[in-house]
Amino acid sequence: MFDNLVTYHVHKRDPLPVNDAPSASSGQALAYQYILAANGVFIRAETQFFEAILRITPSTVRGLTSLNQHFRLKVPRIPDILLNTILSDARHTRRTDGKFNEVLYQFYHYGQSVQVKKPAQQATAVSVSTIEGDDKHILCDLHSHGNMRAFFSQTDDADEQAAKLYAVVGKLDSAPEIHLRVGVYGYWLSLPVTAVFTNSSPFKDLHQVKNHD
């Protein structure tokens, strides 16, 4: 019944054939393909919102064709005004000591319209969790690190295991920054914010900083 949820492809020549693993939009919870290419092992997945190819193990395999990592958003980008909304709200979610707890926001994409929601959640200075959310329409989970830098922790890696977009923001009181990545079942690829949002403002995009360094 579930034999075709994971498929395998040996990449001998371009172009890469159509993904024969059922997409998440077809109603399957897990659906991805491993690809063996000249430059490593890749994982490929497609949801109703995006398609992505991530290299999970670099290697050299003679006789095959090389493959590049790839991300394509299949729906309109999220208006950057919603990032301003998040920054304003996150700056007002302080503890009595003036410091921040982490806070979670979820971007819901309904085809041509996007909403950002702050679900009921349990939060501390170093964690945030929720049981709410209709995963079918959630394009991106974004959480705040308060005045700490924006980075993905080991806890984030353990939690962010779906085929989904994930973002973290930080340094809210000084120089707000953001880091965005696409996740494919426990593997991740850093993305420029403008791959998903119309602009990174009011945050500094750490993907660009990292790539520049």
Side-chain angles (χ1 to χ4, degrees):
M1 178 178 178
F2 299 106
D3 290 346
N4 65 342
L5 291 185
V6 181
T7 60
Y8 306 87
H9 173 70
V10 178
H11 188 45
K12 296 180 178 180
R13 62 185 66 84
D14 289 326
L16 190 67
V18 174
N19 188 358
D20 58 359
S23 70
S25 59
S26 69
Q28 303 288 2
L30 295 174
Y32 53 94
Q33 180 181 68
Y34 287 110
I35 302 172
L36 179 63
N39 54 336
V41 178
F42 293 74
I43 188 170
R44 173 165 64 163
E46 182 174 354
T47 75
Q48 61 180 321
F49 300 123
F50 64 81
E51 59 184 37
I53 300 175
L54 283 60
R55 186 167 70 169
I56 60 178
T57 303
S59 62
T60 300
V61 183
R62 296 174 181 173
L64 299 183
T65 299
S66 295
L67 192 61
N68 293 322
Q69 298 193 104
H70 166 77
F71 173 82
R72 182 178 73 87
L73 191 67
K74 296 164 57 178
V75 293
R77 290 185 297 169
I78 301 172
D80 61 283
I81 190 172
L82 295 181
L83 291 177
N84 285 276
T85 300
I86 283 174
L87 178 59
S88 176
D89 183 81
R91 281 174 167 170
H92 286 87
T93 55
R94 298 178 187 267
R95 304 197 304 265
T96 55
D97 61 3
K99 297 181 180 180
F100 293 102
N101 280 334
E102 292 195 3
V103 57
L104 173 69
Y105 302 90
Q106 295 176 320
F107 292 91
Y108 286 72
H109 211 300
Y110 299 99
Q112 296 300 316
S113 65
V114 182
Q115 296 179 5
V116 60
K117 301 179 182 180
K118 184 168 68 174
Q121 53 198 265
Q122 295 181 329
T124 69
V126 294
S127 67
V128 61
S129 61
T130 180
I131 60 173
E132 290 191 358
D134 175 12
D135 285 343
K136 180 179 179 181
H137 294 290
I138 297 175
L139 168 63
C140 179
D141 284 348
L142 180 151
H143 71 281
S144 168
H145 276 181
N147 280 327
M148 296 188 297
R149 62 188 180 91
F151 70 99
F152 292 102
S153 66
Q154 291 183 341
T155 299
D156 296 332
D157 289 347
D159 291 342
E160 298 176 354
Q161 295 287 314
K164 189 188 293 185
L165 290 156
Y166 299 99
V168 58
V169 298
K171 295 187 177 180
L172 301 185
D173 280 338
S174 53
E177 58 188 29
I178 185 171
H179 194 180
L180 173 71
R181 68 182 181 180
V182 59
V184 178
Y185 305 118
Y187 303 99
W188 305 276
L189 174 65
S190 176
L191 296 175
V193 174
T194 51
V196 176
F197 295 84
T198 55
N199 202 303
S200 64
S201 178
F203 297 95
K204 174 189 287 187
D205 184 356
L206 294 191
H207 174 81
Q208 296 176 357
V209 173
K210 178 180 179 180
N211 283 357
H212 179 71
D213 294 341

